[in-house]
Amino acid sequence: MNVLRFMLHNRGQVLELTLEHLWLVGVSTVFAMLIGIPLGILIAHRQRLNKPVLAAANIIQTIPSLALFGFLLPVPWLGDRSERLAILALTLYALLPIIRNTYTGIAGVDSAVLEAGRGMGLTESQLLFQVELPLAVSVILSGVRIAIVVAVGLATIAAAIGAGGLGEFIFRGLAMVDNRVILAGAIPAAILALMADVGVGWLERRLRAR
Amino acid sequence: MPEPAATPVIEFRDVSFRVGQTQVLSSFSLQVFKGETLVLLGRSGSGKTTTLKLINRLVSPTTGEIYVNGRPNTEVNVTRLRRGIGYVIQDAGLFPHFTVERNIGLVPSIEGWPKERIHPRTQELMQLLGLSPEIATRYPHQLSGGQRQRVGVARALAADPEILVMDEPFAALDPLTRDDLQREFLLLQQRLHKTVVFVTHDLREALRLASRIALMEAGKLVTVLTPQEFVKSSDPWVAAYVRAFGDGLESAANRGAS
């Protein structure tokens, strides 16, 4: 129980780094949703765009995270503050699951239902907001859930470029060869990921269209 | 028979529709008059559904024009046009995430009716279609096939359109439920006198419901006949259709264009 004692002793810092971590994950997830959901809707409606967009998101996903942080470091405005850079990188990684699930959710809406709606005189935006999005919302949220869980893990690497977060403990612990310090970062991160998973999962089930 | 002087509510003027190399519809002309039930009859792929979708512009013709209420339907705002034409499809196409009440009240609600007006209207329609009031809060997946189709018809009637277009609305139902719904449709039509275009491949259904039957084959209009004329016709296509459905059809023909 050395770990717990260490965490309790440094609770101020644990809390501070956890909040930093949450901030990185939260802001990047919001950005990824703002970009990814409209993009997913777009490629569900314009099938020709779906391959190139999903391919691009896929390619981003394959870049090793440490390398991506490194690549972005020399970029002028971004490099000024490592936090900006971390948020951009995390946003990029969160895009794929959000775009893909939005696309799957919207494309999966029964075409007979859409045609009935169109035939009744719903406009395209009424169809989107009253039919397609409500029917796709649980699939979209499951993409958001995946994105958050991945981001919680990835955000620990942001500490490597000095963006803070629970990774600070992990890197410090690695340098000091002290498991207590590593776990002081890893345990709260795991708890965050679990909480996000359960919380968004609950929302997903509540909003699932009948 | 419709009076010759009457202006048609719907008129196809030399309409053709082509997708790539496939001629779905060619030089199709047809008039539908106020208050009649015109049944488009034909086998799968004969162009019935396309013809129907041309009316509410879910499909646009390659050449020719479709007049609705005396105006080319392209001159009317497409949303306005569609809201004035009730649309019923097979399996009803109900919104799975809306209750029965919201499904029925959708067009009135997007038309901006106040709630105090939508609620009694849905109640009225549910009663008209023989739906018990307690299903108002149910979702489509909690209904039987017959109930769903009734809700589909109620939804199409909600904003009281003059025209109703129905695409094989009863085809997916079991024979007994279909029989019920056909009977109710006739009763409803006696009260409401909508101008109905009804697509089916079922000759018995056509004979029972139609004022006039328009037989289609390979994208062409073969002939337009009343049910009584239809069963006696010597036209080879008509005769072939009648033969395929077997005996006892004379009695199936309704009282015709009364």
Side-chain angles (χ1 to χ4, degrees), chain A residues 111-122, chain B residues 87 89 92-95 155:
Chain A
S111 60
V113 170
L114 289 180
E115 184 153 282
R118 217 167 263 134
M120 290 165 65
L122 266 68
Chain B
Y87 185 45
I89 61 174
L94 298 178
F95 300 112
R155 182 177 68 172

Side-chain angles (χ1 to χ4, degrees), chain A residues 113 115 118 121 126 130 210, chain B residues 53 79 82-83 97 139:
Chain A
V113 170
E115 184 153 282
R118 217 167 263 134
Q126 282 165 340
Q130 298 200 31
R210 272 149 257 250
Chain B
K53 288 180 180 173
T79 305
R82 288 172 181 168
R83 288 185 194 167
H97 58 307
Y139 288 87

Side-chain angles (χ1 to χ4, degrees), chain A residues 32-108:
Chain A
M33 285 170 73
L34 288 177
I35 301 165
I37 293 175
L39 213 53
I41 293 169
L42 180 76
I43 63 172
H45 288 165
R46 304 262 178 284
Q47 289 286 341
R48 254 181 320 140
L49 294 176
N50 105 47
K51 285 236 170 73
V53 169
L54 285 177
N58 253 315
I59 287 168
I60 293 172
Q61 210 77 19
T62 62
I63 305 172
S65 46
L66 209 49
L68 185 62
F69 285 121
F71 288 145
L72 294 173
L73 211 46
V75 179
W77 182 82
L78 277 177
D80 294 349
R81 283 184 57 192
S82 45
E83 187 192 318
R84 290 176 191 157
L85 201 154
I87 286 172
L88 174 70
L90 291 175
T91 302
L92 288 174
Y93 283 118
L95 280 176
L96 179 67
I98 292 176
I99 296 175
R100 194 180 41 205
N101 278 45
T102 304
Y103 166 74
T104 310
I106 300 276

Side-chain angles (χ1 to χ4, degrees), chain A residues 109-124 126-127 129-135 207-210, chain B residues 49 53 56 58 78-79 82-83 85-87 89-90 92-98 102-103 106-107 109-110 139 141 155:
Chain A
V109 175
D110 184 0
S111 60
V113 170
L114 289 180
E115 184 153 282
R118 217 167 263 134
M120 290 165 65
L122 266 68
T123 62
E124 289 304 310
Q126 282 165 340
L127 271 181
F129 288 106
Q130 298 200 31
V131 182
E132 295 180 291
L133 281 175
L135 287 175
L207 293 176
R208 179 161 301 148
R210 272 149 257 250
Chain B
T49 296
K53 288 180 180 173
N56 62 9
L58 284 172
V78 69
T79 305
R82 288 172 181 168
R83 288 185 194 167
I85 302 174
Y87 185 45
I89 61 174
Q90 194 177 333
L94 298 178
F95 300 112
H97 58 307
F98 283 179
R102 258 192 98 185
N103 262 290
L106 183 62
V107 174
S109 110
I110 57 179
Y139 288 87
H141 73 102
R155 182 177 68 172

